Amino acid sequence: VLSDTPGTAEVLPEIAAAVKGKTTIIVDGGIRSGLDIFKALALGADVCMICRPVLIAYYGGRTEGMECYFDKLKAELVDTMYMCGARSISDICGEMVRV
């Protein structure tokens, strides 16, 4: 929202290092694709929230639109994981993305 503040991906590794697993890190904002989900998880997020695209999918196609969007996210995430050598969500790590 503020033009001179760092983006989520820029501060996420620092936040993850500071909390050291003592709390769940939920990322909200800027998640639009399965690749974005992969990056957030690799940088230290435990959970990704997706709001605006889901609402757009709902308004465009109701339940079917949301199902289509979630299928797209899953396919993109699985493809990204495969290309980076992650066979499960728990395999995703910071070394798989370039900061």
Side-chain angles (χ1 to χ4, degrees):
V1 174
L2 301 173
S3 62
D4 291 337
T5 58
T8 305
E10 294 175 88
V11 297
L12 190 50
E14 185 178 339
I15 292 168
V19 300
K20 297 179 182 148
K22 295 177 187 167
T23 189
T24 301
I25 299 174
I26 303 171
V27 173
D28 183 23
I31 306 294
R32 299 290 184 264
S33 68
L35 176 59
D36 292 335
I37 294 169
F38 182 90
K39 289 177 188 177
L41 295 174
L43 293 173
D46 296 302
V47 177
C48 294
M49 292 177 48
I50 307 165
C51 185
R52 188 179 311 151
V54 173
L55 292 175
I56 293 167
Y58 177 76
Y59 288 129
R62 304 288 183 207
T63 302
E64 187 177 330
M66 290 175 56
E67 288 174 2
C68 182
Y69 182 67
F70 288 129
D71 288 345
K72 172 188 168 294
L73 289 177
K74 181 179 178 182
E76 291 171 347
L77 177 59
V78 168
D79 286 348
T80 304
M81 289 171 59
Y82 181 78
M83 288 186 273
C84 292
R87 299 295 177 232
S88 68
I89 295 290
S90 62
D91 290 340
I92 299 172
C93 63
E95 289 79 33
M96 294 178 172
V97 294
R98 189 171 183 189
V99 182

